Amino acid sequence: MKTINTIKTGQNLRKLSEERGYSAIRLSRTLGFSEDCVFKWFAGINVPRVDTLVMLAEIFGKKIDDLIICDEIA
């Protein structure tokens, strides 16, 4: 069984954002979220909702599976 690794997912979202030229502020404005919300994603405190992941995948030119980092659990 797998579970989302929020820290690694946040790091991945930050990396993908930087690769596409999006700061947390620009990304928050593009998506209509607060900057604090995006900073929490990047820090691994929260994970975006599924509908938000769809938008992020489109912005980054990736599949949703490419955004989320999962770990195997026993």
Side-chain angles (χ1 to χ4, degrees):
M1 182 180 292
K2 293 184 178 187
T3 185
I4 295 173
N5 182 319
T6 59
I7 299 295
K8 289 180 182 177
T9 296
Q11 292 169 344
N12 189 43
L13 292 174
R14 180 187 303 259
K15 180 184 76 106
L16 292 169
S17 293
E18 290 171 357
E19 288 174 359
R20 290 288 182 171
Y22 282 88
S23 66
I25 295 168
R26 181 175 174 214
L27 190 60
S28 70
R29 290 180 182 157
T30 301
L31 295 170
F33 288 97
S34 70
E35 295 168 22
D36 187 52
C37 185
V38 175
F39 284 120
K40 285 181 179 179
W41 298 338
F42 288 176
I45 296 168
N46 292 334
V47 177
R49 294 179 355 180
V50 173
D51 58 331
T52 305
L53 288 169
V54 171
M55 291 187 286
L56 288 168
E58 186 174 331
I59 289 169
F60 300 150
K62 302 284 183 180
K63 293 188 253 180
I64 292 175
D65 287 350
D66 297 329
L67 306 181
I68 301 168
I69 307 299
C70 294
D71 291 334
E72 291 286 337
I73 59 172

